[in-house]
Amino acid sequence: MRVPVSWLRSLVPGLTAPAEEIAGALVRLGLEVEQVHRVGHDISGVVVGEVLDVEELTGYKKPVRFCHVSVAPAGAPSRIHEVVCGATNFAPGDRVAFATPGAVLPGDFRIATRQTYGRTSDGMICSGAELGASEESGGILVLAPDAPLGADVVELLALRDEVLDIAVTPDRGYQLSVRGVARETATAFGLPLADPALAEAPAPDAGGHPVVLAAADCDRFVARVVHGFDPTATSPAWLQRRLLLAGMRPVSLAVDVTNAVMLELGQPLHAYDRAALSGAIVVREAEPGERLRTLDGQERTLAGGELLITDDSGPIGLAGVMGGGPTEITATTTEILLEAAHFSPTSIARTARRHRLPSEASRRYERGVDPALPSAAAEAAVRLLVELGGATAGAVTDLGTSAAAPVLALPLDAAGRLAGRDYAPDVVRRRLEDVGCAVTGTDPLQVVPPSWRPDLTGTAELIEEVLRLEGYDTIPVVLPRAPAGRGLTPQQRLRRTASRALAATGLVEVVLPPFVTPEVLDVLGGGMQAPRLLNPLSAQEALLRPTLLPGLLGAAVRNVSRGLPDVAIFETGHVFIGAGTSVPAPGVSGPPTPEQRAELDAALPRQPRHVGVVLAGRRASWQAAISAVADLGLALGLVVEPRAVAHGPFHPGRSAELLLGGRRVGVAGELHPRVIAALGLPARSCAAEANLDLLVETAAAAGPPPAPLVSHFPPANVDIAVVVDEVVPAADVEAALRDGAGPLLEAIALFDVYTGPQVGPGRRSLAYALRLRAPDRTLTDADVLAARDAAVAEAGRRTGAALRS
Amino acid sequence: MSGPDEPAVPNASESPAGLAVADLAAAQEQGLAGFEAATTLDALAAARTGHLGDRSPLARARKAIGSLPGPQKADAGKRVNAVAGALQAVYDRRRGELERERDERVLVEEAVDVTVVPSRPLGGRHPLTTLSERVVDVFVAMGWELAEGPELEHEWFNFDALNFLPDHPARQMQDTLFVEPEGSGLLLRTHTSPVQVRSMLDRRPPIHVVCPGRVYRADALDATHSPVFAQVEGLCIDEGITMAHLRGTLDHLASALFDEGSGEGLTTRIRPNYFPFTEPSAEIDLQCFACRGASAVEGAEPCRVCSSEGWIEWGGCGMVNPAVLVAGGIDPERYSGFAFGMGLDRALMFRHGITDIRDFYEGDQRFTLALGREA
C-alpha cells in the first residue's frame, strides 16, 4: 500500500511531523513501512505542453511518433518543440507533461536535444513513472485539458510529496486504505482522526436498480444509480495526482473516482455502464463452463463456484476480482451504476488465485473489507461524480446486512499476564478504543471490535493491540526456567559422533538440495521409488532423492570442474522412499485422536537418514569407500563388515554390501564405469552410502559395553601364512582363524597377501599376525602351538586353507 | 715417525724381541701417535689393530715374556701391561671423541627443510551443522530438549494445526512444494514449526524444545533465495509463560551466539508483525554484533554488517496462538507459551559476510573447509 503523506495529513488534522518520523512511529506500531519515497524533489524543467500534431513514423519495429508540442502560455510568443515519442496513448490537442531540453527527471536523468529515428527530438513527453509519480508507465501522462500551458508540472500536480510504502500483513486488511493507516497514525501521535467514512447515505428506495443476492458469499450489496454523467469530464489534477502517488494510473473520471474512494476507504467499487446492463443484477455462483470476458480483455472459462455478478445477458463480472468488458464505462457513458459490496474473503481469494488475477479489489477482499463501508463508500463516490462529472444522484439499492460483531470478554489483567508486566485498567480500555473497539463493563471488559477489524476474534488478538500500542519495548526481559533436562538423546549424541568421525577421517561435509531427476536414478540402476513433487522448481528435478548419491555425485563433478580434482565429500540427511498416500486431515478443534495421528504418520513416505560418501581423484579407492563406513561404524562402537556383491551403480568386482550383524546397512566401492561415464565423473570414482538411522539405533540399543580383560601377562606372537583359492574372501579366512584360535586370541591382523609361482595359479597366500595372551598366566609353547594348530585346522575346514610350506 | 714394522730399537741385545725398555717406549710412542693421528673411526680401528692388535709389537712383546727367565717375567709383564694400559686409555678417549664428532656430523647432515610439510587431507563439517549444534547446545544447557520431525510432512502439521486457514496465501503453490498424490496434503515442510506441533502432541507441559532443520520453499535458486534452507525454532509452554520470557530467551540466545568475547551481552528488539500461529507476533531484530549500534548515529563509522542500521533482521516470534495450543492438545486456559524461529543460513551470512546463499548448497569443498572448522 502506497500512502501519500499529504493524503494522510488530510485525514489527521494537526499532523505536522516529517515523513520519516511518521514512518518510524508506524513501524513501532507494527506497520511494515518498507520505504519512504520522496517524490518530485528532484525534478525540474517539466512544463505543461499541448500536442499540436502527430506523425506516425513507419518502418520501425515499434510504434514511433513525431510530434510538435507547444509549451507557450496563451498570448506568449510561440515556443514549439519537435519531439520523438514511443507512446501512443495521446492525440493532438492533449495536454502533456513535457520535459524541455535541460530538464532533470528523477535519478538525475538530464534531457537534451538529440537526433533519433532520423529526426530531432527537442525534449521528452513524460509518463507518470518517468516523473516518479507511479510504478508503471502504461504510456505517457495525459493532463487535464485546462492545465495551463507552460506551467510547472511538479507545481501543478503538487508532485513534491512523500509516499509511505507499507507491506500489509494478511490479517490487517484495514491498512490497505489511507483511512486505516491514518487511524494508526492518529493513535501514534495522539491526534484525532477525521474519519472519511462517516458520509451519511440516503436511504434505499423502491426505484433502485433491481439486485438479487443468490449466494451466501455476498452478504451486502449497495447499488447507486447516477444519471446524466458528462463523459467528457476529466479528473482534476489533485485526483490524478493522488492516484499516481498511490501507484495507480488515471484512466477516466468515473474510474478514477472509484479508485480514489477505494484507496481512501478500502472499499472496492465498480462502475457499470448502466445502458449496457439488461435486467436485474444477480449475484450468484458460477456454473462450470460459463464464460466471461474480463476488463483486461481475457476470455475466461469459469470452473464453477466463482462468485459472479450477472444480469440477463449472463456473467458481467468476477465479483470482487475484476469487472467484465461489455459493461465497462466507455467514453460515451452517461448512465452509471455504482456497486459497493461485501464478499467472503475466502471466496474472492479462491477465484483470484484460480484465474491468476490478483487485483486491487481482490487484495482487499481477501484480507477483509469493512462490511459496514459499502453505503458510505458509494455515497462518497456519488458525491464526487456529481461534483466533478455534472451528474445527479439517482435511486439507491441496499441489500443484506453484515453479521453483528462478537462481544469479547477480556479480563482486565489478561494483557498484563501475557506480557509479563502490568497495564493500568484505563490504559487497556483506551488502547482498545484507539483501534475502534466499543468497550463496556469493568472486569472482564466487554469488547466489541470495530467492523473493519475482522481479525479481532479473541482475547489474544485484543491483547496484542494493547501490547503493540503500548510498545513491545516496554515489556520486561526475563529468562524462563526450564525443568532440569537430560541433554541430548543417545541417538542425537551418536549422530554428532558420526558427523565428527566422518570429518576426522578427512571427509568434507556438504549439504545438498534433495531434488533429483528420474534420469539420474536410471543411471544409478533404477528400481527406486521416489516421491514426486507436484510443482517442482524445475520440470526435470521433480523427484525427491531416494538415495544421497545423485546429489553427492553432482557435487563431485562440480568440484572437479572448479579445479578441485581430489574430492572426498560426505552428506548426512533424509532420503525419501516410496510414495505417500491420501488421508483425510483431522480438524483443529482439538488434538487428533491416536488413530488419526497414526494415519497421518502412515501417509508419509519413509524418510530415513542416510550417510553418503563420494571419493574422486587421488582420494578415490574402493578400500577408502568401504572403510569410510567401516570406520564410522567403529566410531559408533559397531563392526561393519564388507561382503562382495554386485550392486546397481557399482563396479561388480570392486564393491561390497556392508553388513551390521548380518543385516545389510549400506553399500560401498568403486562406481561402475558406465555410471562414471554417464555422469562425467573422474575414472575410478568411488562411493558409499549407509542407513545412518540403522547404525545409530543399533549403537544406541547396544547399551554400555563390558570392560575388556586387561591381562598383565606377556603376549605370544605367532605368524600364520595359509594358502587358499583366490576366490575365498580374506574375511572368511580371518573369521575361521579367529574362531579356531579360541579365547587366547587377543588380536589378529592380515599383513601380507601373495600371489605368484610359489603358491601356484588360482591360489593366494594370506599371512596373519596373531597375538595370543592368557588372563592368568604366561603362555607355554604348548599353549601357543595348540592355538595355532586349532586356528589353521578351522581355516582348513571352512575355507580349504593349507599352511604355507 | 716410526711404524710398527720398523727394525728393533736399542736394548735388543739385552732383552728378547721388543721387551727392551726402548722397544716398549717406542711401541707406546708410536701407538699414541697413531691413535692421535686417526681422524676417522675407521682409521682409529686400523690403528688399534696395528698397536693393540694380535700382531702388534706389544702383542709380540707379550708373547716374548714366556721366553724370559722366571725372575724377569714379572717385571716384563708389568712394563708391557703399563704400556698396554696407556695405549688403551688413549684409544678409548680418541674413540669417544671421534664418535661424538660423527654423531654431531650426522645430526648436521640429517637437517631438513622443516617448512616442507605434506598435509594430510583435512575434513570438515558444514557450517550449518556446526551452527545448528551451537544453538542446540545453548538451549540444552538451559534444560531444553532437541526435537525432530520429518521433512516431508502432512499439511495438517505444517498448516492446519498452526492456524493457517484453508485459503491462507502461504499455503499456495507459489510458496509450498507439494508432493504427489495430488490432494493428499503432502508437502515439504515450509518451516520447522510442524515439529512444534508434534512436540505438543508427544509431550505434556512444561515443554521446552528447540527444533533445527532443513525447510523448503518454492523459490528459484539465486544469490538471496534458495528452495532449501535451514531454520531453528524454539517452543516453550508452561503455566505463566509471558512475552517477557520470550524477550529474555531471545537476548540470551543473541548473547550466546554472537557476543564473541566481550562478555557485555547483546540485546534484541521485537517489532509487531503477523504470523497465523502466534498472537501477539513480532519480528526479531538483533543488535549488530559488529558495531553494537554505534554506526546508526549520524556521522559515525559506517558498518558493513548491519548497513549502519544498528540492528539486523533476525527472525520471527510471538506468543503461541491459543488455537495452536488447542490443536496440540494443550489447554489454553491453563497454559501459555512462546515460539520463535530464525534462519541459520541468514545468521551465517551476516556473521561471516557470505553474500551468495548458493554457496551453502553447491557442495564446494572450499566452502566447508573455510567455515566448518568451528566446533
Side-chain angles (χ1 to χ4, degrees):
Chain A
M1 175 74 190
R2 289 168 58 104
V3 180
V5 171
S6 58
W7 202 340
L8 198 57
R9 292 187 201 280
S10 74
L11 300 189
V12 187
L15 179 65
T16 54
E20 295 290 346
E21 197 180 315
I22 296 171
L26 291 176
V27 166
R28 274 191 297 283
L29 293 188
L31 283 81
E32 201 167 329
V33 182
E34 293 193 318
Q35 227 181 327
V36 180
H37 302 282
R38 286 165 57 81
V39 182
H41 294 263
D42 50 358
I43 303 175
S44 66
V46 182
V47 298
V48 178
E50 180 175 323
V51 179
L52 300 177
D53 55 45
V54 172
E55 177 191 348
E56 306 282 352
L57 301 185
T58 53
Y60 298 104
K61 281 181 191 158
K62 52 178 190 168
V64 178
R65 290 176 155 194
F66 180 68
C67 321
H68 287 89
V69 176
S70 164
V71 297
S78 159
R79 277 174 59 205
I80 294 176
H81 297 263
E82 38 190 33
V83 63
V84 173
C85 180
T88 57
N89 64 325
F90 62 97
D94 277 350
R95 301 255 156 135
V96 296
F98 187 75
T100 52
V104 182
L105 297 184
D108 199 27
F109 178 32
R110 290 167 186 277
I111 304 300
T113 304
R114 62 195 179 107
Q115 298 295 320
T116 181
Y117 295 99
R119 305 295 176 105
T120 297
S121 190
D122 186 29
M124 188 174 97
I125 306 177
C126 301
S127 68
E130 281 155 351
L131 293 175
S134 62
E135 301 235 357
E136 297 167 31
S137 120
I140 60 119
L141 179 61
V142 177
L143 304 173
D146 58 351
L149 282 181
D152 188 311
V153 168
V154 172
E155 299 283 336
L156 180 78
L157 298 185
L159 283 181
R160 285 198 188 94
D161 206 337
E162 287 89 14
V163 179
L164 308 181
D165 199 341
I166 300 175
V168 177
T169 55
D171 60 328
R172 309 236 164 203
Y174 71 97
Q175 291 176 2
L176 285 173
S177 66
V178 183
R179 177 199 189 206
V181 175
R183 185 181 308 279
E184 298 280 340
T185 309
T187 300
F189 289 91
L191 294 167
L193 171 75
D195 190 345
L198 300 178
E200 194 75 27
D205 45 58
H209 192 96
V211 175
V212 179
L213 299 189
D217 284 333
C218 174
D219 57 10
R220 183 89 193 273
F221 198 105
V222 170
R224 297 288 301 268
V225 175
V226 176
H227 302 291
F229 176 74
D230 173 7
T232 65
T234 53
S235 301
W238 67 264
L239 181 57
Q240 292 204 350
R241 169 183 162 271
R242 280 191 167 181
L243 293 176
L244 285 170
L245 289 176
M248 296 187 82
R249 193 161 56 90
V251 178
S252 68
L253 176 59
V255 173
D256 292 352
V257 162
T258 59
N259 284 335
V261 170
M262 174 184 71
L263 288 169
E264 182 160 271
L265 298 181
Q267 168 69 55
L269 297 169
H270 189 71
Y272 299 91
D273 183 345
R274 192 161 173 240
L277 295 176
S278 50
I281 282 185
V282 178
V283 185
R284 63 168 171 84
E285 288 183 6
E287 302 291 333
E290 280 193 281
R291 297 173 72 83
L292 166 68
R293 182 164 59 81
T294 41
L295 272 176
D296 54 5
Q298 291 265 338
E299 191 74 36
R300 298 178 187 274
T301 303
L302 304 175
E306 295 97 330
L307 201 55
L308 286 182
I309 310 297
T310 66
D311 69 359
D312 290 354
S313 71
I316 56 169
L318 268 179
V321 179
M322 192 172 276
T327 55
E328 72 177 308
I329 299 289
T330 70
T332 58
T333 299
T334 58
E335 295 294 295
I336 294 174
L337 185 70
L338 268 182
E339 165 205 307
H342 187 254
F343 305 114
S344 131
T346 51
S347 165
I348 303 303
R350 265 198 300 269
T351 301
R353 203 162 55 240
R354 180 176 292 151
H355 294 283
R356 292 201 171 74
L357 199 52
S359 65
E360 292 286 341
S362 71
R363 277 176 67 212
R364 287 172 171 79
Y365 280 121
E366 277 177 34
R367 288 167 171 79
V369 166
D370 182 351
L373 264 184
S375 177
E379 174 64 15
V382 168
R383 288 184 189 181
L384 282 171
L385 291 175
V386 168
E387 178 189 332
L388 303 173
T392 54
V396 178
T397 309
D398 189 345
L399 295 181
T401 50
S402 46
V407 180
L408 304 173
L410 180 70
L412 258 186
D413 66 348
R417 269 193 286 126
L418 200 67
R421 55 156 284 190
D422 286 336
Y423 295 102
D426 61 312
V427 168
V428 175
R429 190 183 301 268
R430 178 164 54 83
R431 288 312 188 183
L432 293 173
E433 286 167 353
D434 279 343
V435 299
C437 292
V439 185
T440 55
T442 48
D443 194 7
L445 299 173
Q446 304 296 315
V447 183
V448 181
S451 55
W452 58 85
R453 292 296 302 269
D455 60 309
L456 299 181
T457 54
T459 53
E461 288 78 11
L462 297 179
I463 290 169
E464 176 174 55
E465 296 304 302
V466 175
L467 268 52
R468 99 182 154 88
L469 294 181
E470 281 297 295
Y472 281 1
D473 53 346
T474 66
I475 295 171
V477 176
V478 179
L479 198 58
R481 236 188 138 76
R486 276 178 293 181
L488 300 177
T489 65
Q491 287 82 350
Q492 290 164 347
R493 286 200 304 274
L494 286 162
R495 279 204 297 275
R496 286 190 176 189
T497 303
S499 152
R500 292 212 180 87
L502 290 160
T505 57
L507 294 164
V508 176
E509 187 181 21
V510 295
V511 175
L512 302 165
F515 314 114
V516 298
T517 65
E519 290 74 22
V520 76
L521 295 185
D522 282 345
V523 166
L524 295 182
M528 284 172 278
Q529 199 189 4
R532 181 179 291 273
L533 290 172
L534 284 168
N535 55 332
L537 286 160
S538 108
Q540 290 82 42
E541 294 185 333
L543 299 181
L544 292 174
R545 61 185 183 192
T547 152
L548 296 178
L549 293 185
L552 283 165
L553 295 172
V557 169
R558 201 170 300 124
N559 275 284
V560 172
S561 75
R562 290 178 180 181
L564 309 168
D566 300 321
V567 179
I569 51 179
F570 79 96
E571 182 178 23
T572 65
H574 289 280
V575 298
F576 306 88
I577 299 168
T581 54
S582 280
V583 297
V588 290
S589 54
T593 63
E595 295 72 34
Q596 288 171 322
R597 172 79 193 274
E599 207 176 42
L600 282 173
D601 285 340
L604 304 176
R606 286 198 298 120
Q607 304 172 52
R609 284 184 193 80
H610 276 196
V611 52
V613 174
V614 166
L615 307 167
R618 281 178 298 176
R619 302 295 303 277
S621 77
W622 60 265
Q623 294 99 326
I626 292 172
S627 9
V629 178
D631 291 352
L632 169 61
L634 290 178
L636 301 177
L638 303 170
V639 177
V640 174
E641 292 171 313
R643 183 167 69 193
V645 64
H647 176 78
F650 289 96
H651 187 307
R654 293 186 170 195
S655 63
E657 62 179 350
L658 303 168
L659 302 177
L660 178 62
R663 186 170 173 193
R664 180 181 172 129
V665 72
V667 287
E670 188 174 307
L671 288 164
H672 198 292
R674 170 180 51 77
V675 172
I676 286 173
L679 300 181
L681 287 158
R684 303 279 177 205
S685 291
C686 297
E689 182 166 20
N691 185 327
L692 183 61
D693 279 347
L694 187 53
L695 288 167
V696 161
E697 290 299 339
T698 308
L709 243 170
V710 182
S711 167
H712 294 199
F713 290 91
N717 292 309
V718 189
D719 291 349
I720 297 177
V722 293
V723 177
V724 288
D725 272 354
E726 225 166 32
V727 295
V728 174
D732 293 358
V733 177
E734 182 178 317
L737 289 172
R738 187 185 290 278
D739 292 347
L744 293 181
L745 183 71
E746 190 173 82
I748 179 169
L750 177 68
F751 69 89
D752 188 45
V753 179
Y754 171 78
T755 53
Q758 291 181 29
V759 293
R763 315 263 296 162
R764 62 176 180 163
S765 158
L766 303 169
Y768 291 89
L770 283 70
R771 189 169 74 230
L772 305 168
R773 200 189 316 248
D776 53 351
R777 65 201 155 91
T778 301
L779 292 177
T780 63
D781 288 353
D783 291 331
V784 174
L785 269 179
R788 192 190 86 137
D789 290 349
V792 172
E794 184 63 15
R797 195 179 67 75
R798 287 202 217 165
T799 68
L803 205 55
R804 186 173 170 192
S805 46
Chain B
M1 269 261 175
S2 317
D5 297 332
E6 283 187 16
V9 290
N11 290 338
S13 59
E14 295 171 29
S15 305
L19 272 175
V21 171
D23 288 345
L24 284 174
Q28 178 167 354
E29 189 185 323
Q30 286 165 7
L32 289 177
F35 291 156
E36 294 292 353
T39 56
T40 67
L41 283 166
D42 287 346
L44 185 65
R48 186 181 187 281
T49 307
H51 300 294
L52 285 171
D54 292 346
R55 294 190 202 164
S56 64
L58 205 58
R60 288 201 299 274
R62 199 182 295 282
K63 277 187 201 136
I65 292 173
S67 63
L68 287 178
Q72 295 178 26
K73 280 184 180 169
D75 176 56
K78 260 185 219 160
R79 287 189 290 117
V80 169
N81 281 344
V83 171
L87 282 181
Q88 185 65 43
V90 171
Y91 167 80
D92 287 347
R93 172 180 57 76
R94 187 63 186 147
R95 196 177 68 169
E97 287 167 4
L98 290 176
E99 280 177 350
R100 268 194 301 283
E101 278 175 30
R102 178 202 60 192
D103 289 351
E104 277 164 25
R105 197 169 55 245
V106 165
L107 291 180
V108 170
E109 285 166 3
E110 285 180 355
V112 295
D113 179 354
V114 296
T115 64
V116 179
V117 187
S119 64
R120 193 171 72 84
L122 284 175
R125 297 202 299 155
H126 198 277
L128 286 171
T129 305
T130 52
L131 179 63
S132 168
E133 290 184 4
R134 282 186 65 198
V135 174
V136 168
D137 286 347
V138 169
F139 285 97
V140 167
M142 294 193 291
W144 293 42
E145 291 177 86
L146 165 57
E148 296 159 312
E151 293 177 8
L152 200 170
E153 262 290 11
H154 194 282
E155 68 181 337
W156 191 86
F157 291 102
N158 196 75
F159 289 132
D160 297 21
L162 290 163
N163 195 37
F164 284 82
L165 296 176
D167 285 288
H168 192 283
R171 290 193 180 215
Q172 299 328 310
M173 285 296 234
Q174 57 266 34
D175 294 311
T176 306
L177 289 164
F178 286 97
V179 177
E180 285 188 352
E182 184 146 24
S184 62
L186 298 183
L187 45 76
L188 288 176
R189 65 181 181 193
T190 59
H191 43 194
T192 45
S193 310
V195 181
Q196 300 191 18
V197 178
R198 290 176 175 275
S199 298
M200 285 188 263
L201 294 174
D202 293 341
R203 294 164 166 81
R204 308 285 6 125
I207 296 171
H208 297 79
V209 291
V210 58
C211 335
R214 287 189 210 179
V215 300
Y216 302 88
R217 299 274 167 91
D219 273 329
L221 189 66
D222 65 25
T224 54
H225 297 87
S226 167
V228 51
F229 54 101
Q231 256 191 356
V232 63
E233 291 189 11
L235 172 72
C236 165
I237 297 175
D238 200 352
E239 291 178 359
I241 291 296
T242 70
M243 214 153 167
H245 292 135
L246 168 60
R247 292 197 69 196
T249 304
L250 294 174
D251 277 10
H252 180 71
L253 180 62
S255 298
L257 286 187
F258 297 106
D259 181 29
E260 291 169 78
S262 91
E264 289 166 33
L266 283 168
T267 59
T268 58
R269 89 180 164 186
I270 56 176
R271 287 179 287 121
N273 200 337
Y274 169 76
F275 305 109
F277 36 90
T278 47
E279 189 81 33
S281 303
E283 288 281 305
I284 310 165
D285 292 338
L286 169 73
Q287 182 189 13
C288 178
F289 54 87
C291 72
R292 292 184 176 263
S295 69
V297 181
E298 194 125 356
E301 277 288 299
C303 176
R304 273 192 305 176
V305 173
C306 64
S307 309
S308 301
E309 297 277 333
W311 297 93
I312 301 164
E313 281 187 28
W314 197 22
C317 64
M319 303 305 290
V320 181
N321 192 307
V324 175
L325 294 176
V326 167
I330 289 168
D331 177 6
E333 299 296 323
R334 181 172 169 197
Y335 295 103
S336 57
F338 66 77
F340 61 86
M342 52 270 297
L344 292 175
D345 314 66
R346 200 180 136 61
L348 286 167
M349 288 176 90
F350 61 66
R351 182 163 181 253
H352 300 281
I354 301 163
T355 53
D356 194 328
I357 198 171
R358 284 172 289 207
D359 290 345
F360 287 93
Y361 300 103
E362 289 189 334
D364 192 306
Q365 297 178 106
R366 292 168 294 178
F367 182 75
T368 296
L369 287 172
L371 298 173
R373 312 230 59 88
E374 289 187 292

